[in-house]
């Protein structure tokens, strides 16, 4: 193809910009004494062309609904991203040099502490799956023309989550999504599985329904043509496979092993900069998006939560489905996702009523959580559900979601041994521990349908990552529909002036505690029952008050392993309170301590030692 | 192709067996009142031919080293598996009818409570990745001719972990692995992404380097030919994509929606059995493997652990690498895996010394843990390492590993905020919570190189899932190399007769506690420091003794979120001990409570409130 003078000038400009991005990546990482300059240098040409011509982004208004999204799935290339911010005039060189320093928003890996960063990356294989959520919103919900650009590393192509993303993007025909894979051949400790075998990646991507473009990632014309082609593609996502050199442009770094995640020392820096043509101070105008208006999500209507009659038998998972549907009616911004078990979690009740706001994520829990995070980036209020046990599959995404400051709601059904015959593989027994240990999380475990409904409503307004644990079995409705349940609260279910012990329970064990209460009443013994439905934050004031009223005798019963669950939440809260010295508190902690098998729910509750009779026995022993 | 009389007879026999498997799958699930008969019926023809002609398995000796392995990755098809056990004469019809009943080993999903089951399945997308580990052992370590057969569901093909497995099997050219995908089109709540689009699966599998055979999964001749072809393939794994009908053979079940995970009722059972040609009582002789001898793994040699000088600075992650290498020298059964970060975890020290016993799993943590479990099935002693933060990616596999009774050792490096500049995405801050909440797990967090070495050695002999948490930074060696450290133990690092408080620390905070001790000594204040390196099981006796000697004043300092970590382990142990009533215990729990950023290790320890000065302040406040 003939190249005109204008094109030559443009290419020269792109080259200069790319070299600046390389120099700045080196400078800031050398200044920091750590970081990943070589992984940045391989992608500098790709990003120089992107930001000069194709990315449509208003740095003065990151909330502009027309803005493209740019996600560095290879988050360790943060020096490149931050150097782009400098080149776009968004940060100063002085700020760039604060890279990785204490207090700087330019952290080792990008986080939304920076206004132009949508989500935290740095755990590989997450940026692309999250981008699916953003692209789903653009194509199906907002119907806005923004594109989602994702810079991926080649090492992260080994993560199964990347193939979940390829699969879902293909399935959902996300033609607003363009992945750019920086195939620099070298992983952290040597060559990747495929090295520079671009065809290998190409076959895989095609098999998952993607349009594929293979290029030399240092040939600026090829890059330009690839983007031009990519933005024309309809009906399928595009991946640009770019053959690149790690450390490109510096003789002692380029395509050399042993340079992953290492800055060059201060003495070598001038030589490297010289090889790259010296320092530059180019500022470019990143194209702004055409003005668009964000579509309305409708006025909020009054929320009409389902109401259940006291004494009826209703599974809390069913109440989740009902409440989610009610939320869907009241609020246009509520969306839902499920991992192909919506007829078990009952999210299908939402899905059937609001199919346009429901995304079937099939059995791909990582992608489900990632898509929820991506939908959250676009200010939707996502609820994602599967069995509590299977949320363990997505733990890295949930953990990273906290760093992303994501506002997402998770529902894990089929908690504990009380699911019965399906056996331990299907039992959530570590989910409370897992979810409590997420920064800023909320952990809710209702025992009753009316309580569940109110908590689902509260989750919609809750920031951070919130988790609702539901039960498979039908359980009695014990609260009237006009009782209030707030995050951070608890309910004293039974109390009298002569209670001999406090029983703290949640979910299924509340019902066991009530049965124990009735059993003990026959012996003339009264107990106080605290329904600690808000496991995090926990209502420590009520716990203290109850303990003080019951001589410090405490029974905790939970359908969960003993580690990290309700029991430890209670102990920790008491210890942290500073209000009690734990004086004279005697504790019996009933939890699942042996590996369960199959059986009827009640058989398994009995076998685990968390049923009514065990609660009653624990009270008897404590009050001896 | 002409079919001879003998072939006709054989095919008729296979058909009869397949119908029996269907009938028995229905009978046992109807008796149980739950289970997955329709998912069993789709694969009955596939399994009838396999067990009659191709599977080589000695049911009288499941330890026979020549036995093939058969893994039901679609574990919910357990009625089919158990019906096969009956047809093989391994269990009685009476036992089959105990399916899903309390106390029966025939649980809802298969577990190794059954001697012919290698691993627990039931969380989809795990059987195939685990099979990779078994196949790696057969091909590269044991060099035995056994084959690994895996029955996969089509719904689970949506899991990224399946594509990690496809990728690794292709990369490692596992021609002893044959996956059979039962493409019955219907997932739990409707059609799968690809439905009966076998070509779609075929393209994907080919792109990952597999030999692909597409068949009608109810045509017994095609099934036979497919297996015949599969066992001839060399240099690559084979997948048989079988188009099947869920509920095959019963008019009101076949290819019908709404029948996932549901038994038919007792009234409908006779009609279904009649359609399937009635009950049969066929017992078949499963072919036995040719006699082979398991290769020797060598005599154990004396273990010569690395020794470090007190006062030297050594990172515990480095000591892990050294000790693993020493173990490799002493024991021929120790193998190692890493998630492409071996130069950070230092498992590369083993890899370089024993490359034949090291498997690079690239950035695919699910596959890494799964392969470790598979290697454990073959009685290797696997150690798998990556950053502690990234083990969250494999949590579902770890959880299921406990149900599999797997003996695996995990090492998570780069724990806590003390990693410094890389920022929160790389910091393990929930790993202790996650690993404690695994049934039967061991959680170790050493502070010193000599201690690390001894604990690594102890892990080799530890059953269940053990986890070692290591630190990025170099820390002073504080223990002489002849001190002993046992799982379940602790060390009192500082003590006197007038200690005002007990400080419980582990890993990096032990060093902060020692600095606090020195600071407080200047004020004439003495503290007792307990190094709780064994977080689970924890040395509760020493904790109680120390608390009793220090007036119940307790400071806990940990580089972890407050939930589920060392602090809660200590509180839980004290509460459970029954030996103390927690009387007069006053606690200050120092943990990471705000989201960290980047910075120098000491800056981040200070900012998190877990450094020496905060420990000293906590002691001062408690002893006011």
């Amino acid at each position: 193809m003939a190249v005109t003078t204008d094109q030559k000038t443009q290419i020269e400009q792109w080259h200069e910009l790319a070299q600046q991005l390389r120099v700045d990546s080196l400078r800031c990482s050398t200044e920091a004494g750590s970081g990943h300059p070589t992984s940045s240098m391989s992608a500098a040409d790709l990003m120089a062309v992107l930001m000069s011509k194709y990315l449509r982004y208003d740095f003065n208004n990151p909330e502009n609904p027309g803005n493209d999204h740019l996600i560095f799935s290879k988050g360790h290339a943060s020096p490149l991203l931050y150097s782009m911010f400098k080149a776009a005039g968004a940060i100063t060189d002085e700020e760039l040099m604060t890279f990785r320093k204490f207090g700087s928003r330019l952290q080792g890996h990008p986080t939304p502490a920076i206004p132009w960063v949508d989500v935290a990356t740095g755990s590989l294989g997450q940026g692309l799956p999250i981008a699916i959520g953003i692209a789903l919103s653009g194509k199906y919900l907002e119907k806005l023309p923004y594109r989602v650009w994702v810079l991926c590393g080649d090492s992260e192509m080994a993560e199964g989550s990347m193939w979940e993303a390829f699969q879902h993007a293909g399935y959902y025909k996300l033609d607003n999504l363009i992945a750019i894979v920086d195939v620099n051949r070298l992983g952290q400790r040597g060559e990747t599985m495929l090295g520079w075998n671009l065809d290998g990646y190409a076959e895989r991507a095609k098999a998952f329904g993607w349009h594929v473009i293979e290029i030399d990632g240092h040939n600026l014309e090829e890059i330009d043509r690839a983007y031009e082609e990519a933005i024309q593609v309809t009906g399928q996502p595009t991946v640009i496979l770019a053959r690149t050199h790690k450390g490109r442009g510096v003789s002692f770094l380029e395509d050399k092993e042993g340079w992953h995640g290492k800055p060059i020392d201060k003495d070598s820096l001038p030589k490297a900069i010289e090889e790259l043509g010296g320092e530059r101070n180019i500022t470019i105008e990143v194209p702004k998006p055409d003005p668009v208006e964000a579509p309305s999500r409708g006025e909020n209507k009054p929320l009409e939560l389902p109401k259940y009659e006291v004494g009826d038998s209703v599974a809390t998972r069913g109440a989740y489905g009902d409440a989610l549907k009610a939320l869907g009616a009241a609020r246009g911004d509520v969306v839902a996702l499920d991992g192909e078990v919506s007829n078990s979690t009952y999210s299908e009740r939402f899905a059937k009523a609001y199919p346009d706001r429901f995304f079937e994520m099939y059995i791909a829990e990582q992608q489900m959580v990632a898509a929820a995070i991506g939908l959250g980036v676009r200010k939707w209020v996502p609820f994602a559900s599967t069995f509590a046990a299977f949320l363990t599959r997505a733990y890295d995404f949930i953990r990273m979601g906290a760093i992303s400051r994501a506002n997402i709601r998770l529902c894990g059904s089929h908690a504990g041994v009380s699911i019965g015959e399906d056996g331990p593989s299907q039992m959530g027994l570590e989910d409370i521990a897992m979810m409590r240990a997420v920064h800023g999380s909320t952990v809710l475990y209702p025992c009753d349908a009316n309580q569940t409904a109110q908590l689902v409503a509260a989750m919609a307004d809750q920031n951070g990552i919130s988790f609702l644990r539901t039960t498979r079995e039908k359980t009695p409705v014990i609260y009237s529909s006009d009782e209030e349940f707030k995050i951070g609260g608890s309910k004293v279910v039974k109390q009298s002036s002569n209670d001999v012990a406090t029983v703290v329970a949640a979910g299924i064990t509340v019902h066991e505690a009530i049965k124990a209460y009735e059993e003990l009443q026959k012996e003339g013994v009264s107990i106080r029952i605290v329904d600690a439905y808000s496991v995090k934050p926990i209502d420590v004031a009520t716990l203290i008050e109850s303990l003080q009223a019951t001589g410090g005798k405490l029974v905790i019963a939970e359908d969960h392993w003993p580690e990290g669950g309700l029991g430890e939440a209670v102990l920790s809260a008491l210890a942290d309170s500073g209000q009690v010295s734990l004086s004279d508190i005697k504790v019996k902690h009933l939890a699942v301590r042996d590996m369960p098998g199959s059986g009827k729910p009640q058989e398994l509750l009995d076998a685990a030692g968390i049923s009514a009779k065990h609660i009653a026995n624990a009270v008897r022993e404590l009050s001896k």
Side-chain angles (χ1 to χ4, degrees), chain A residues 503-507 509-511 513 529-533 555-558 566 615:
Chain A
V503 176
V504 179
T509 58
V510 171
H511 303 285
I529 301 177
V530 178
D531 170 6
Y533 64 82
V555 176
I556 308 164
E558 60 177 323
L566 176 63
I615 295 171

Side-chain angles (χ1 to χ4, degrees), chain A residues 366-394:
Chain A
Q366 297 183 96
Q367 179 57 75
M368 178 180 74
V369 171
I373 293 170
L375 289 162
V377 166
R378 297 302 308 170
K379 310 289 182 216
W380 298 99
V381 176
F383 284 77
S385 47
T386 183
F387 286 24
F390 305 145
L391 282 173
T392 56
R393 190 69 71 108

Side-chain angles (χ1 to χ4, degrees), chain A residues 78 82 99-100 104-111 113-114 403:
Chain A
S78 54
Y82 304 156
F99 177 50
R100 285 177 166 250
S104 171
R105 60 181 176 172
L106 305 184
Q107 296 182 22
H109 294 77
T111 80
I114 305 167
I403 306 175

Side-chain angles (χ1 to χ4, degrees), chain A residues 175-176 210-213 228-238:
Chain A
D175 45 17
N176 53 354
W210 286 52
H211 180 71
V212 177
I213 306 172
E228 196 62 51
E229 180 179 332
I231 63 175
Q232 318 277 349
V233 172
T234 57
Q236 63 182 156
T238 296

Side-chain angles (χ1 to χ4, degrees), chain A residues 23-35 37 93-101 263-266 269:
Chain A
V23 168
D24 284 348
S25 295
L26 284 167
R27 287 174 61 235
C28 71
S29 52
T30 294
E31 173 68 23
S34 69
D93 190 71
E94 194 180 4
E95 181 171 7
L96 181 62
M97 294 302 135
T98 67
F99 177 50
R100 285 177 166 250
K101 288 185 182 156
I264 59 176
D265 59 29
K266 287 194 172 163
L269 186 60

Side-chain angles (χ1 to χ4, degrees), chain A residues 240-263:
Chain A
I240 297 170
L241 299 166
R243 185 183 192 278
T244 62
H245 288 200
K246 204 159 174 170
R248 173 72 169 187
V250 173
S251 56
F252 54 94
L253 299 177
E254 185 164 338
D255 196 32
K256 294 272 193 298
E257 295 209 15
W259 276 106
H260 181 92
K262 285 182 192 159

